[in-house]
Amino acid sequence: MYRIGVDLGGTNIAVGVINGDNKIIGLSKRKTNTPRPAKEIFDDINICIAEAVESAGLKIDDITSIGIGTPGSVDHETGVILYANNLDFYNVPAVEYVNSKFPGVKVYIDNDANCAALGEALAGCGKGKKSFIAVTLGTGVGGGIVLDGKLLVGCNDAGGEIGHMVISVDGEPCNCGRIGCWERYASATALVNQTKAAMLRNKDSKMWELCEGDIEKAGGRTAFDGMRLGDECATEVCNTYIDYIAIGTANLVNIFQPDLVCFGGGICNEGETLLEPIRKLVATYRYSKYQQKQTEFCRATLGNDAGIIGAALVEY
């Protein structure tokens, strides 16, 4: 059995063919080149699908299904991308566009964060776990919830938007329209903003040296690198940021009590520097602190392949 996964992003299109062991055996990529009409983007997706099949040494008749992971909200029943702000998509008939080129092949669609979560749950660090939550710390905070091998999508396919739970009722405005959303505090973007704000308050911080005196060079690693140099300002930034992650994670644990929560995104390259304090903080925040069995935490293992593999495994 061979399936195709499409990982559609604001920057890149990546299409892979996976085999029965959930391994990528054929791959094709190209730039998304936004902004441009959705039909043009899907024309390129169809080209990538054909190239991936060819690179796997297969024919389209060998493909069981095609899954598309896309930013934004989707309608599973109609195969339509309802809205994706970073692609400027509104009511895009994604499944129709793909079936027009590959008729007879079953095509599925889901949110990209859900797809990445499903990939990790079934083929990555969550393999064998009954309940699993993936948290992605990137431009925002994305994620997905997998229970008994199935994505929790809700009554309207919009479930799993974990980045938009409020952790500060008087906090920062979010682009979703609410105040104090988790992603305003725990995303990689938030960390960079917190780092820059701390640098402006502390002109003697070693983070200025790390940025060569240019605050615009501050990135997701700056505070952690400063902490390793013993800089108090950087250490405070890291501790506060990790606490923000732990607050939202504890909320997820209290609601779902999953077997495993995994963390993905570039900031997770910090490894145990990030994960160990999260574990300790969540242990003090969670309601289930007296239970013998507790949720485990780890780093995601599939990297950029999670979205492709997860999209290929979507079915409903």
Side-chain angles (χ1 to χ4, degrees):
M1 178 184 294
Y2 302 99
R3 304 178 187 223
I4 288 176
V6 178
D7 188 5
L8 170 60
T11 304
N12 296 302
I13 299 165
V15 177
V17 178
I18 69 167
N19 61 15
D21 295 323
N22 297 332
K23 304 294 185 183
I24 296 175
I25 61 170
L27 190 64
S28 177
K29 296 181 179 180
R30 62 182 55 204
K31 293 294 183 182
T32 313
N33 290 330
T34 57
R36 58 178 173 143
K39 180 62 168 61
E40 292 184 9
I41 292 175
F42 273 87
D43 285 344
D44 277 353
I45 287 174
N46 288 337
I47 291 171
C48 285
I49 289 172
E51 290 175 348
V53 171
E54 183 179 0
S55 72
L58 301 172
K59 297 180 180 179
I60 194 65
D61 291 342
D62 299 316
I63 303 302
T64 302
S65 63
I66 298 170
I68 305 166
T70 175
S73 56
V74 305
D75 185 324
H76 289 151
E77 292 186 3
T78 63
V80 169
I81 302 172
L82 300 174
Y83 178 62
N85 64 303
N86 63 340
L87 294 172
D88 197 26
F89 280 5
Y90 179 74
N91 283 340
V92 172
V95 170
E96 179 183 320
Y97 284 155
V98 174
N99 268 150
S100 67
K101 179 67 175 178
F102 305 104
V105 181
K106 183 64 179 178
V107 181
Y108 301 101
I109 189 169
D110 212 316
N111 172 268
D112 55 353
N114 280 346
C115 290
L118 188 65
E120 286 288 352
L122 300 183
C125 61
K127 193 173 182 178
K129 302 293 185 181
K130 289 189 66 176
S131 55
F132 173 85
I133 297 177
V135 178
T136 303
L137 307 173
T139 303
V141 173
I145 301 161
V146 182
L147 304 177
D148 292 323
K150 299 291 185 182
L151 280 166
L152 180 65
V153 297
C155 66
N156 55 6
D157 301 331
E161 289 291 347
I162 61 176
H164 295 287
M165 66 172 135
V166 170
I167 66 167
S168 177
V169 293
D170 298 315
E172 299 180 18
C174 181
N175 59 13
C176 77
R178 301 187 78 190
I179 300 294
C181 287
W182 191 26
E183 77 169 35
R184 294 295 298 168
Y185 298 88
S187 63
T189 303
L191 173 59
V192 173
N193 291 337
Q194 292 157 18
T195 298
K196 290 180 177 179
M199 290 171 64
L200 291 173
R201 293 193 303 267
N202 298 269
K203 297 296 186 178
D204 294 329
S205 170
K206 292 180 182 179
M207 291 189 288
W208 284 102
E209 297 177 23
L210 292 170
C211 295
E212 300 176 338
D214 182 359
I215 197 170
E216 294 307 316
K217 291 184 178 180
R221 294 185 56 183
T222 303
F224 283 92
D225 287 343
M227 180 177 67
R228 281 184 278 271
L229 293 174
D231 184 70
E232 291 185 7
C233 176
T235 301
E236 182 180 355
V237 171
C238 292
N239 289 341
T240 301
Y241 175 69
I242 290 170
D243 192 39
Y244 287 140
I245 297 174
I247 290 170
T249 301
N251 290 344
L252 295 174
V253 169
N254 285 345
I255 296 168
F256 295 100
Q257 297 296 338
D259 292 316
L260 179 67
V261 175
C262 86
F263 295 91
I267 194 64
C268 294
N269 290 329
E270 292 293 334
E272 287 301 311
T273 302
L274 182 75
L275 291 177
E276 186 56 25
I278 289 175
R279 291 190 189 100
K280 291 179 178 178
L281 287 166
V282 172
T284 66
Y285 294 155
R286 63 190 172 203
Y287 183 78
S288 60
K289 62 184 68 176
Y290 299 111
Q291 301 295 123
Q292 183 175 0
K293 185 177 181 180
Q294 299 288 355
T295 299
E296 299 174 4
F297 304 95
C298 74
R299 181 180 170 186
T301 56
L302 294 180
N304 293 331
D305 291 344
I308 295 174
I309 295 172
L313 293 174
V314 167
E315 59 182 2
Y316 36 81

